[in-house]
Amino acid sequence: MSSNPSTLVHTRSHALQQRAERFFPGGVNSPVRAFRAVGGAPPFIDRAEGAYLVDADGNRYIDYFGSWGPMILGHAFPPAVEAIERTARHSASFGASTAAEADLAERIVACYPALQKMRFVSSGTEATMSAIRLARAATGRKRIIKFEGCYHGHADGLLVKAGSGVATFGIPGSAGVPEEIAQLTMALPYNDLAAVEAAFDAHPGEIAAIILEPVVGNAGCIPPAPGYHEGLRALTRREGALLIVDEVMTGFRVALGGAVERYGLDPDLVTLGKIVGGGLPVGVFGGKALFMDLLAPLGPVYQAGTLSGNPLAMAAGLATVSYLQDHAAEIYPRIEATAKAVTEGVAAEAARAGIPLTLNRVGAMWTWFFTPDPVRNYDEAAKSDTVAFGRFHHAMLEQGVWLPPSQFEAAFLGTTHGPDEVEKTITAARAAFRS
Ligand SMILES: *Cc1c(COP(=O)(O)O)cnc(C)c1O
């Protein structure tokens, strides 16, 4: 490994990016992939295995974003690959029900007893959008509360003060969202129960639901303050609003049963995505049967999907969730220990180099914020030195360590990261902080 940044060749990636820009706005099919926040052209991926990505120029990287969360068992996880291959031979889609849907649902309920009923969709965006519709139908109310810096996909009503790419690019919401729709979303500071109480007081009987990331990942990693979840549950119960816990990122990540298990939550509705599809497009929304049975064909709330419960996606999800469930007692403590070692090792290198860094970590998700101060909400995350983060990102990438390309995105690792990767990463950070 080189300690001299800018030694990697990126010729083919540069050419591929230029070609992609002819077809796709910014050359990408999802904005954060464009690396605008950290500068430089994004490497194009050729293939990946375990904890490693290989780009179009043959450079190898330790992967710390895992396809933005799903690849907790490493890339090309053999049981998932086999399941997909086996399933594909019998056709990729039927548009009619298969046993695999209930097979995966059975596994999910075993990890998430809160999902008395559920429905599969094809993305996290669809899951949260549908959960909100259900909450509005169940309560007959229009307004929703979300939190600044939380990202719940790109549906109209959920982009107000959103995290992820919206935060990365400093966009307050999105053009093209009618004001009438944006007005129904109240965006409040995270970890601030008084703000939630005030919102309920200002709009009595009008708030259908609170939706939150139970551990924020999309403003960088921000843990819930002690008592925060319980406070939200008590307020929603008192006010007759639903509590929607968006576990698209944290589900099967911060524990087998996600934040619901880790923090002992009692949500009305839960949304899942990312890991639950094992790298294929799967989203889930589910929760109390009383609410879920409002969905068509049983009830008046319409929601549908041509490829929902797609056989290939179910196969990959089933292989992934089954493995996680069967090995949870070994996997979750191990990935947490690996994450602790790498995050604290890098933070110690920063301290040694005199670089102020605040480390937030929950299980195997984390962020190194380039700020000396605690980060408990979006405003505090936004104080980070994003230029310093960009330099760090670039220096790490050039040494074969691929971090999420924004200060406002959580990093992840999984079961295929071991002591070797930890050591290489800490060594790379040492060089990065001194360059
Ligand atoms: C990624 C994410 C979404 C959106 O999921 P997509 O599959 O990208 O539509 C929603 N909520 C959270 C918390 C996420 O991290």
Side-chain angles (χ1 to χ4, degrees):
M1 190 203 63
S2 168
S3 59
N4 171 24
S6 331
T7 50
L8 300 188
V9 172
H10 296 292
T11 321
R12 298 188 72 121
S13 281
H14 279 283
L16 288 168
Q17 174 68 15
Q18 275 169 359
R19 171 168 168 249
E21 283 174 12
R22 295 212 312 266
F23 302 110
F24 313 119
V28 290
N29 286 298
S30 196
V32 281
R33 293 179 197 166
F35 270 41
R36 291 287 160 94
V38 290
F44 271 58
I45 306 298
D46 182 57
R47 62 188 185 278
E49 194 186 354
Y52 288 85
L53 300 166
V54 182
D55 75 10
D57 293 280
N59 302 307
R60 273 165 62 85
Y61 307 90
I62 304 173
D63 179 3
Y64 284 111
F65 72 115
S67 185
W68 303 90
M71 309 317 282
I72 190 167
L73 295 174
H75 290 279
F77 175 59
V81 173
E82 279 155 33
I84 293 166
E85 283 177 353
R86 197 177 340 109
T87 307
R89 275 185 224 114
H90 295 160
S91 177
S93 183
F94 313 110
S97 297
T98 66
E101 293 156 61
D103 291 342
L104 178 53
E106 223 161 62
R107 284 289 189 164
I108 293 172
V109 179
C111 310
Y112 273 92
L115 269 64
Q116 294 171 354
K117 288 245 178 114
M118 73 186 79
R119 190 162 270 176
F120 288 119
V121 290
S122 300
S123 66
T125 294
E126 282 177 85
T128 57
M129 185 182 81
S130 308
I132 298 276
R133 182 176 302 152
L134 206 48
R136 284 178 166 147
T139 57
R141 301 172 179 181
K142 291 182 186 164
R143 292 184 193 275
I144 58 164
I145 291 176
K146 75 178 284 291
F147 298 102
E148 294 166 8
C150 286
Y151 178 71
H152 305 290
H154 67 275
D156 277 350
L158 290 170
L159 285 174
V160 180
K161 299 212 172 164
S164 188
V166 184
T168 299
F169 303 126
I171 307 171
S174 170
V177 175
E179 213 180 291
E180 291 84 346
I181 290 179
Q183 272 171 0
L184 296 176
T185 304
M186 279 173 280
L188 307 178
Y190 198 79
N191 277 332
D192 181 350
L193 285 173
V196 177
E197 182 128 36
F200 276 115
D201 287 347
H203 303 281
E206 293 181 22
I207 295 164
I210 292 181
I211 184 167
L212 84 154
E213 288 185 64
V215 175
V216 184
N218 286 291
C221 180
I222 304 176
Y228 183 57
H229 290 141
E230 293 78 1
L232 294 178
R233 181 65 277 188
L235 281 169
T236 44
R237 199 162 271 143
R238 190 184 83 195
E239 302 290 336
L242 270 59
L243 184 63
I244 305 173
V245 177
D246 180 0
E247 293 237 56
V248 171
M249 184 182 289
T250 51
F252 305 100
R253 163 65 55 189
V254 298
L256 178 67
V260 169
E261 176 190 318
R262 191 168 178 123
Y263 299 100
L265 309 184
D266 174 26
D268 294 304
L269 296 173
V270 174
T271 52
L272 297 169
K274 298 192 172 123
I275 291 175
V276 76
L280 270 80
V282 179
V284 181
F285 67 102
K288 303 203 159 132
L290 148 89
F291 302 125
M292 292 302 290
D293 284 345
L294 291 172
L295 284 172
L298 294 185
V301 181
Y302 197 70
Q303 179 280 329
T306 302
L307 293 177
S308 293
N310 172 267
L312 298 182
M314 295 297 103
L318 186 59
T320 302
V321 172
S322 306
Y323 191 88
L324 287 171
Q325 193 196 354
D326 295 345
H327 301 85
E330 184 265 322
I331 286 177
Y332 288 93
R334 181 157 59 86
I335 61 173
E336 174 141 15
T338 311
K340 185 175 184 337
V342 75
T343 54
E344 292 179 2
V346 168
E349 292 300 337
R352 228 163 271 149
I355 292 168
L357 208 73
T358 291
L359 167 62
N360 281 3
R361 181 183 63 79
V362 176
M365 71 183 263
W366 72 88
T367 298
W368 293 293
F369 288 102
F370 281 70
T371 171
D373 303 316
V375 175
R376 293 158 298 200
N377 56 39
Y378 177 69
D379 281 349
E380 290 176 349
K383 285 188 196 143
S384 301
D385 182 346
T386 54
V387 174
F389 175 82
R391 272 198 307 267
F392 176 63
H393 183 274
H394 185 72
M396 295 297 276
L397 192 73
E398 288 301 306
Q399 296 177 85
V401 179
W402 190 318
L403 303 173
S406 164
Q407 176 71 95
F408 309 114
E409 299 284 1
F412 310 104
L413 58 68
T415 53
T416 53
H417 293 72
D420 238 29
E421 287 72 34
V422 170
E423 194 193 307
K424 280 187 209 161
T425 304
I426 294 170
T427 307
R430 185 179 312 139
F433 289 134
R434 286 174 189 170
S435 65

